[in-house]
Amino acid sequence: MNSALLIGVVASSVMSGTSLLYATIGEIVGERAGIVNLGLEGIMLIGAATGFAATALTGDAYLGVAAAALAGTAVNLIFAYLVIGRHANQLATGLTLMFFGLGLSALIGRPFLGTLIAGLPKLRLLGLGIMGNPLLSFDVLVYLAVPAAVLVWWLLFRTTWGLGLRAVGENPVAAVAAGLSPSRLQYQALGLAGLLGGIAGAHLSLAVTMTWAEGMTAGRGFIAIALVIFAKWNPLWAIAGALLFGGAESLQLQLQAAGADVSPFIMNMVPYLLTLAVLIAWGWRRQGAAPAALGRNFVGVE
Amino acid sequence: MARKLFFLGLILGALTAFFAAAPLSAQQKPPLVVGAIFVGSVNDYGYNRSMKDGLDEMAHAIPGLKLLEAENVPETAESERIMEGMIQQGAKLIFATSFGHQQFAFNLAKTHPDVYFEHAGGWMMSHNFGNFFGATQSAWYPMGVAAGKMTKSNTLGFVVGVPIGYAIGNVNAFEMGARSVNPKAVTRVVVTGGWSDKAKEAAATNALIDQGADVVTMHVDSPATIIQTAESRGVYSIGFQSITAAQLAPKGWITGLGFTWGPFMTGIAKSVIAGTFKPAFVREGLGQMMAIAPFGAAVPPDVRTLVMASADQVEKGFNPFTGPVTDNTGAVRIPAGQSWGGDKMGNFDWYVDGVIGKAK
Amino acid sequence: MQRDGAAFWRLLSAQAIGIAVVALIALGAFAALLLAAGKNPLQAYVDTVVYVFGNATGFAELLVRMTPLVFTAVAAALPARIGLINVGGEGQLYMGAWLATAGELALQNHSAFVLLPALTVLGFVGGGLWALLPAILRALRLVNETISTLLLNYLAPLIVSYFIFGPWRSPESSSYPESPAFVDAARLPTLFHSRVHAGLIYALVCLGLYWLALGRTRFGLQMRAIGGNVEAARRLGIPVMSYTLVVMFIAGGVAGLAGMAEVSAIQGRLVAELSPGYGYAGFLVAWLAGTGAGGILVMSFLFAVLGSVGDMLQITQNLPYAVINILMAGILFIVLARRPIGRAVS
């Protein structure tokens, strides 16, 4: 394996894994509060389309990221209202959200198909690329991804807010007894999740491809949902998971460029097989890391 | 009970209104209604753009012609539904512009003998079904010449969407053209697995550049992402599908190949109007259905002359696939004295010597 | 009996009016959205109604569109009755198509009398096995079936792609990755010289069997017992684990039939892109229908109509087809917001 290949793989895994990481930590926040959002794909698409549209209109990619974050939050709050306020079935609502995102993003993005944008500028850390290699200079979202994951970890595990949130996800009745308001915490969690999901989508359209195409997330939202489980609902593990999944996708392309004979399909299967294997292994060892009340609609003493 | 009747009446009334409104929406009769389906968006600076440009040219040339279009039509049964819908709206000529639409257009040709179909890139034919495409392979040879001359690292990169025979043939002609002016030039190939997966295309381009390629080209539906990625990494690019892509790479653009479908499409439309449609298997090359894009600022005059001379040769009938041609494992695939004509362009499952990659 | 009948009709018409109101609200909101986007939605609605109900071809298209939805809805509804969540309809569809293709390639030289039943069985088995794996994992308490069926949805199309790019690549069209065309004897016949194919019959039969099994057999009774209260059912001696495995297998098999119908009737070969989300749409159909058989029939019809509106929007209004998802989601959002708590759904 030559060094060009290695650097190339790392760089492309990082690019590929960044949006996965944002989406995954967002979903972790929501699931830790007891709500599973199968519509993450839709949120990411809306983020991608809104971010692209805003960037095309204003010429400022950072504004685009902000717009994407706002849009993601807003739409996820609709989801939040349905599952929290109306006690709707989380899976059905989530899938509906996915379809909604597919459609809305297509409508938003349509006038901007083929528009050229400069995208998020690549920044160099301290004036140098990482290890002095110009290849390893990335946009701001990449640099902020790991700090964001650490921040979410800190929020979940080192603050009272996070403690309350996790309590709601484990045992909502006990949480109420302790004086917490499950629905308020869940709304907050889903708002944050929407923000992160929107940013995840924006990274795809503003940094990775610098374009908009219908359905461009290509299932990454669902991959993120699998990653949440892979990461055992812990944002720090999600970093490794995102790199792994991002890496698998780009590794086979890099190997091809280097002349190796790999079947792209087999390589693309590896992340999913790995996730499945890991899940089975944990199930075997009875490590139920999921929040106990995940997926259940709390109809309680409110 | 009365409430139920009221609601029922309301619904019936609404339905009647709908049906009554339908005749009101009838319009003046155009000389021809043409339907066209695209597999992607027409704003792709690529394949779909070239089709759209051709159709627009046709609509311009025939006053009053009505054009029904549908973008992002997948290559599944959905396309049959869309085309059927267009026929129901009065279309008498349908352009199915992507390969995967072939079977579905053909099905409709059987059930609608009075509607004419033109499919791009396939081989099926019947009395009301014709097939057309550009003879791309030979046209890639001059592109290879340009790349071979402009490269400094002697490594060229080619991103292929789906490794079909025609695409492999394009890569082969490209490499052969490069070799003809630069014996040390090699071409690395990365397959993304789909005609339009932008994230993969960006990653594939980066992978090729990481491996040393300083000229990148492609056979995917839209060259935009690849060209933009190449431009952001400071390498040259050669476009494909539509000649409008030059604006994406002000610094790195060398040249490109584009389709000029307009005259062909106009001819077909006119023949349908006149009732003289004849199904044919049309493959036209440089000068007819294909054109070379304008050169970029970075290209010196001597290279331009060389490329145009090569293109001229191709137009006059030069076939790069004339034996002896060896593949990249050393085996002779086209023996001396033989050559592969247009009908064999779909049969490539091997790469020529100098291409780094596996065709199968 | 008479009183029951009247009550039934009252309930049904109340539900129908409820659905009509929801649909009208959603259609209205959607029309407003389109108007804001500068389009003419009323024209599209009119065109759709005229095409779909005033035109045999248009109506046939509805039925063709409906067919895979009925399959995947049953595939989601059946396990829901015992409290299992199967979002794996996509993957099961692909694997049913895959195994059916394998059979076609192996048995090409036989007559339709051999081929069609064989392919049907293989389609069923292919999807069934694909659902069995998550079922086993669930029965062994290793992995929740929601996530495992979801993950397998990704593997299945990759497996199909691997085969059509590799071992099953059609030599005649090495210019395009797909399997060789199915021989005529392997194609499901069409009905009444339209595009409606025998797959519709399969789908209706599956639906009928589903209704029968759940309502009239001991099997169904025990299933409903499990769905009501797993622990109680176990104490009654019902073999819950066996039911988990069998029910998931059957559900996957039904989705597999959708795949078999796609390759045999519609595509005529195995291709990479078989399903534009039928599995997920079917899940939503089943959920909307409250997993009742009649509801599945009505809801898949409704979804098919929405699809036709989408086609019209695309052809006459120059909007991307995907936009119709907004309308569909809108209807669903309204329904989700109106559902009273405690309603028995999956």
Side-chain angles (χ1 to χ4, degrees):
Chain A
M1 176 172 289
N2 57 28
S3 69
L5 181 63
L6 188 60
I7 293 177
V9 170
V10 170
S12 111
S13 308
V14 167
M15 271 306 259
S16 207
T18 298
S19 65
L20 276 179
L21 185 55
Y22 280 108
T24 306
I25 59 182
E27 181 69 16
I28 288 178
V29 172
E31 291 197 16
R32 278 281 178 181
I35 298 184
V36 58
N37 184 358
L38 286 184
L40 184 54
E41 179 86 358
I43 300 283
M44 286 174 75
L45 276 170
I46 290 177
T50 313
F52 191 80
T55 307
L57 286 172
T58 63
D60 185 341
Y62 292 111
L63 269 179
V65 174
L70 266 170
T73 311
V75 175
N76 217 28
L77 285 175
I78 300 177
F79 171 74
Y81 171 66
L82 287 168
V83 298
I84 303 170
R86 310 296 303 172
H87 303 288
N89 178 290
Q90 289 181 17
L91 295 175
T93 314
L95 282 178
T96 306
L97 181 68
M98 175 191 78
F99 282 109
F100 182 67
L102 264 171
L104 188 63
S105 61
L107 193 61
I108 294 176
R110 180 166 175 69
F112 302 100
L113 282 167
T115 311
L116 301 174
I117 60 166
L120 279 173
K122 293 208 186 311
L123 310 169
R124 290 171 177 220
L125 265 187
L126 313 168
L128 298 163
I130 301 178
M131 297 193 284
N133 191 318
L135 229 141
L136 298 181
S137 63
F138 300 108
D139 56 88
V140 68
L141 286 179
V142 172
Y143 292 133
L144 290 178
V146 169
V150 173
L151 179 66
V152 167
W153 174 84
W154 179 78
L155 277 172
L156 284 175
F157 293 97
R158 289 285 182 274
T159 64
T160 25
W161 180 79
L163 187 63
L165 196 124
R166 284 184 292 127
V168 169
E170 296 288 340
N171 190 338
V173 179
V176 170
L180 297 168
S181 160
S183 53
R184 190 155 58 90
L185 283 164
Q186 285 175 331
Y187 269 110
Q188 288 165 349
L190 286 178
L192 181 58
L195 187 125
L196 290 165
I199 293 179
H203 191 251
L204 274 178
S205 66
L206 298 178
V208 176
T209 64
M210 287 179 284
T211 186
W212 161 256
E214 267 181 49
M216 69 184 293
T217 50
R220 279 184 180 78
F222 287 104
I223 296 178
I225 295 175
L227 261 176
V228 168
I229 304 180
F230 180 86
K232 291 217 252 177
W233 290 267
N234 184 325
L236 297 177
W237 277 109
I239 301 172
L243 260 181
L244 177 72
F245 275 65
E249 182 185 275
S250 45
L251 180 63
Q252 55 102 349
L253 293 168
Q254 290 278 347
L255 283 174
Q256 275 190 58
D261 178 18
V262 278
S263 162
F265 309 109
I266 305 280
M267 293 238 41
N268 277 327
M269 284 191 222
V270 169
Y272 304 106
L273 291 171
L274 213 62
T275 307
L276 210 51
V278 162
L279 287 173
I280 296 175
W282 285 331
W284 201 270
R285 299 198 298 173
R286 304 268 161 209
Q287 286 191 26
L294 181 62
R296 240 182 278 156
N297 290 10
F298 175 56
V299 181
V301 295
E302 309 247 301
Chain B
M1 192 56 182
R3 224 166 62 109
K4 261 178 271 169
L5 280 177
F6 171 68
F7 270 121
L8 199 60
L10 200 66
I11 293 170
L12 278 174
L15 279 173
T16 317
F18 276 149
F19 278 103
L24 290 174
S25 56
Q27 286 156 335
Q28 274 195 319
K29 225 172 146 25
L32 183 63
V33 179
V34 178
I37 57 173
F38 306 97
V39 71
S41 153
V42 295
N43 286 329
D44 66 353
Y45 297 95
Y47 186 74
N48 298 295
R49 173 87 257 161
S50 71
M51 285 292 176
K52 169 87 172 127
D53 286 342
L55 289 164
D56 282 345
E57 211 180 295
M58 169 192 73
H60 237 82
I62 301 175
L65 185 143
K66 180 162 171 200
L67 187 55
L68 301 170
E69 292 164 314
E71 297 173 59
N72 288 309
V73 176
E75 294 173 326
T76 62
E78 184 64 26
S79 64
E80 202 170 325
R81 268 181 219 123
I82 303 271
M83 287 187 275
E84 178 71 61
M86 290 176 169
I87 295 174
Q88 295 294 327
Q89 296 268 320
K92 283 280 178 246
L93 171 61
I94 302 268
F95 283 98
T97 65
S98 181
F99 181 92
H101 296 145
Q102 184 175 222
Q103 183 64 59
F104 303 105
F106 198 70
N107 294 344
L108 286 174
K110 278 194 255 173
T111 56
H112 293 280
D114 57 330
V115 177
Y116 299 96
F117 295 82
E118 279 289 339
H119 174 254
W123 63 84
M124 291 185 179
M125 298 232 291
S126 74
H127 84 273
N128 60 340
F129 193 99
N131 221 293
F132 71 100
F133 207 68
T136 59
Q137 287 70 37
S138 306
W140 273 98
Y141 193 89
M143 297 295 109
V145 168
K149 275 293 194 175
M150 298 296 290
T151 179
K152 305 218 173 11
S153 66
N154 292 332
T155 303
L156 313 173
F158 208 117
V159 180
V160 172
V162 180
I164 65 178
Y166 296 112
I168 297 178
N170 292 341
V171 176
N172 286 342
F174 179 74
E175 170 62 16
M176 285 159 66
R179 276 267 162 111
S180 74
V181 292
N182 182 347
K184 288 194 278 197
V186 294
T187 302
R188 291 184 178 272
V189 177
V190 174
V191 171
T192 61
W195 288 120
S196 184
D197 184 336
K198 309 220 180 280
K200 287 225 178 74
E201 285 162 21
T205 311
N206 281 320
L208 287 166
I209 298 174
D210 294 340
Q211 289 292 322
D214 64 351
V215 179
V216 177
T217 186
M218 73 298 290
H219 181 163
V220 293
D221 274 355
S222 165
T225 305
I226 296 170
I227 294 178
Q228 285 181 292
T229 311
E231 186 74 353
S232 75
R233 297 274 308 258
V235 304
Y236 291 122
S237 47
I238 290 182
F240 183 49
Q241 311 275 23
S242 159
I243 52 183
T244 62
Q247 49 188 297
L248 296 171
K251 293 210 210 87
W253 179 264
I254 297 179
T255 179
L257 267 182
F259 293 107
T260 50
W261 307 114
F264 172 77
M265 288 178 169
T266 312
I268 291 288
K270 288 195 170 148
S271 78
V272 168
I273 295 177
T276 57
F277 177 89
K278 273 196 187 32
F281 181 81
V282 178
R283 290 292 186 267
E284 291 175 3
L286 277 178
Q288 297 170 301
M289 269 183 185
M290 304 202 60
I292 297 193
F295 291 99
V299 185
D302 60 315
V303 175
R304 296 182 194 216
T305 321
L306 210 55
V307 173
M308 293 316 287
S310 171
D312 198 51
Q313 277 191 304
V314 169
E315 267 184 63
K316 293 211 171 62
F318 166 65
N319 180 356
F321 300 107
T322 307
V325 177
T326 338
D327 72 15
N328 62 358
T329 68
V332 174
R333 290 291 192 143
I334 307 180
Q338 280 186 18
S339 70
W340 278 24
D343 52 317
K344 287 183 98 98
M345 289 295 105
N347 295 3
F348 282 105
D349 58 0
W350 49 270
Y351 283 123
V352 298
D353 187 33
V355 176
I356 300 174
K358 275 231 188 277
K360 276 219 257 227
Chain C
M1 276 312 257
Q2 273 235 330
R3 261 198 319 158
D4 279 347
F8 174 73
W9 283 111
R10 233 179 297 137
L11 183 67
L12 196 66
S13 61
Q15 280 192 339
I17 292 183
I19 294 173
V21 168
V22 170
L24 277 169
I25 297 176
L27 283 168
F30 187 62
L33 182 69
L34 290 180
L35 276 170
K39 304 291 175 184
N40 184 350
L42 288 178
Q43 185 67 45
Y45 291 164
V46 167
D47 287 337
T48 307
V49 172
V50 166
Y51 178 55
V52 152
F53 293 109
N55 185 323
T57 321
F59 194 72
E61 291 303 323
L62 260 190
L63 295 179
V64 172
R65 208 183 222 120
M66 210 175 112
T67 308
L69 290 178
V70 173
F71 280 122
T72 50
V74 171
L78 192 66
R81 288 303 183 110
I82 59 172
L84 293 174
I85 297 168
N86 177 18
V87 281
E90 291 287 308
Q92 290 142 22
L93 187 153
Y94 271 89
M95 293 317 283
W98 176 82
L99 198 59
T101 307
E104 193 270 347
L105 290 172
L107 299 170
Q108 262 179 1
N109 299 319
H110 292 81
S111 74
F113 283 117
V114 172
L115 267 174
L116 285 178
L119 292 191
T120 307
V121 169
L122 285 172
F124 190 85
V125 168
L129 288 175
W130 203 242
L132 193 60
L133 180 59
I136 294 175
L137 291 177
R138 161 72 193 232
L140 293 176
R141 294 178 182 268
L142 287 175
V143 185
N144 180 288
E145 76 284 359
T146 312
I147 200 64
S148 54
T149 50
L150 201 61
L151 280 175
L152 289 182
N153 280 343
Y154 284 96
L155 288 174
L158 288 173
I159 294 176
V160 166
S161 288
Y162 175 76
F163 275 86
I164 61 178
F165 273 78
W168 288 353
R169 186 132 156 195
S170 166
E172 65 161 17
S173 73
S174 68
S175 50
Y176 197 73
E178 55 193 3
S179 76
F182 277 29
V183 297
D184 281 341
R187 307 284 309 262
L188 275 174
T190 55
L191 312 171
F192 311 124
H193 302 290
S194 71
R195 280 172 23 90
V196 184
H197 55 85
L200 180 64
I201 300 184
Y202 281 4
L204 293 174
V205 166
C206 284
L207 193 61
L209 286 174
Y210 167 73
W211 177 76
L212 263 174
L214 256 118
R216 312 272 154 160
T217 66
R218 213 182 75 146
F219 181 76
L221 189 65
Q222 300 204 319
M223 273 185 61
R224 284 184 284 145
I226 302 176
N229 188 329
V230 181
E231 274 318 304
R234 227 183 285 253
R235 267 180 251 132
L236 279 172
I238 299 179
V240 173
M241 190 189 284
S242 309
Y243 269 91
T244 303
L245 297 174
V246 170
V247 165
M248 283 294 278
F249 182 82
I250 296 178
V254 172
L257 283 178
M260 176 259 172
E262 275 299 306
V263 290
S264 169
I266 305 274
Q267 298 276 354
R269 59 181 78 233
L270 187 63
V271 294
E273 226 194 275
L274 279 175
S275 163
Y278 288 136
Y280 297 120
F283 184 89
L284 285 172
V285 166
W287 186 85
L288 262 181
T291 69
I296 289 180
L297 196 63
V298 171
M299 283 304 155
S300 39
F301 186 77
L302 179 70
F303 271 55
V305 171
L306 285 178
S308 295
V309 175
D311 280 347
M312 277 298 142
L313 281 176
Q314 190 171 34
I315 300 174
T316 59
Q317 299 291 325
N318 222 336
L319 275 173
Y321 175 84
V323 166
I324 199 64
N325 287 314
I326 303 180
L327 178 58
M328 182 174 82
I331 295 179
L332 283 163
F333 279 150
I334 297 175
V335 172
L336 285 160
R338 286 178 74 236
R339 273 281 161 83
I341 305 152
R343 169 88 191 252
V345 290
S346 54

